[in-house]
Amino acid sequence: MTPPPPDRPTPAAERRIGPDTLVAYLDHLDAADRAGAVTLARGLLADGFSVADVLVDLVAVAQREVGRRWLTGSWSIAQEHAATHVSEQVVDALGATVGPPRRGHVVMACVEGEWHALAARIVTEVVRAAGWRVTFLGASVPARHLVSYLHQTGPDAVLLSCVQPNRLVRAARMVEASRAAGVPVLAGGPGFGPDGRWATAIGAAGWGASARDAVELLERPLSAAHTGAPPPPARRRVRGGAAPAA
């Protein structure tokens, strides 16, 4: 009788970061334990998970739970701020593991008046991990300053984050100004409506629900956005996404 083949470990690409890991990470956030959170994240990389896996499937998911705890009053504003700061440091630590760029240049910005920047930071590092050079301009970028920077640097695209729907008018101005400068905009975040339905209505070349979507959208031709032709239909929301900034 032939013995059964030995069990082989499941490749990281076929695994998911499980709920126990999420609970452990949230415990580090609850304790404002930067060292523990960074060690956990780096351990996942050592186990074969990608930067995108850790940032999208752990950090971003945990941040949504942080927001829920704040909204329900189970966490104070101070606890939410401390937890968010720890996740920002985790994003920085994982970003430090990314190699040099081998592709084009994109600019990541939050809509003017939008101060929720962690999602945009996650997108920045996931896109960087995919080989792009990314310049992160931070939270609440005035449209005129964005356009000035685009003229100075000539990037291939702008990734624009909008979390709050009441910032949509300002987002439209930033999209219009960027297109006038010859740079297409890829939008992300719930501020663009369910499934990003308002993104292409204001001239964005596309919308994504997660940082992984941002990478996928950058693979697509963006010439229509340069010429002013009608943009393609908005991307449908994909399962399992972290609210991206693009």
Side-chain angles (χ1 to χ4, degrees), residues 43-140:
L44 291 170
L45 293 185
D47 286 343
F49 288 98
S50 69
V51 169
D53 292 335
V54 180
L55 293 183
V56 174
D57 299 331
L58 178 66
V59 177
V61 174
Q63 192 60 25
R64 288 199 292 272
E65 174 60 17
V66 168
R68 187 196 69 80
R69 293 180 183 186
W70 171 72
L71 284 171
T72 58
S74 58
W75 274 16
S76 68
I77 292 176
Q79 285 175 295
E80 181 273 325
H81 283 2
T84 298
H85 180 60
V86 170
S87 282
E88 289 171 343
Q89 292 176 308
V90 170
V91 174
D92 287 341
L94 268 59
T97 69
V98 174
R102 60 185 186 278
R103 310 178 78 171
H105 178 210
V106 297
V107 169
M108 177 80 244
C110 295
V111 171
E112 184 175 5
E114 181 59 75
W115 295 100
H116 297 81
L118 179 56
R121 285 283 291 111
I122 290 172
V123 172
T124 294
E125 298 307 334
V126 171
V127 172
R128 284 185 63 237
W132 293 85
R133 179 164 71 93
V134 186
T135 301
F136 178 64
L137 300 185
S140 188

Side-chain angles (χ1 to χ4, degrees), residues 17-43:
I17 295 174
D20 291 344
T21 304
L22 175 61
V23 169
Y25 184 77
L26 283 165
D27 286 344
H28 290 307
L29 298 188
D30 191 15
D33 178 12
R34 173 199 174 278
V38 170
T39 297
L40 187 154
R42 286 176 172 163

Side-chain angles (χ1 to χ4, degrees), residues 181-193:
V183 183
V185 176
L186 299 175
F192 291 99

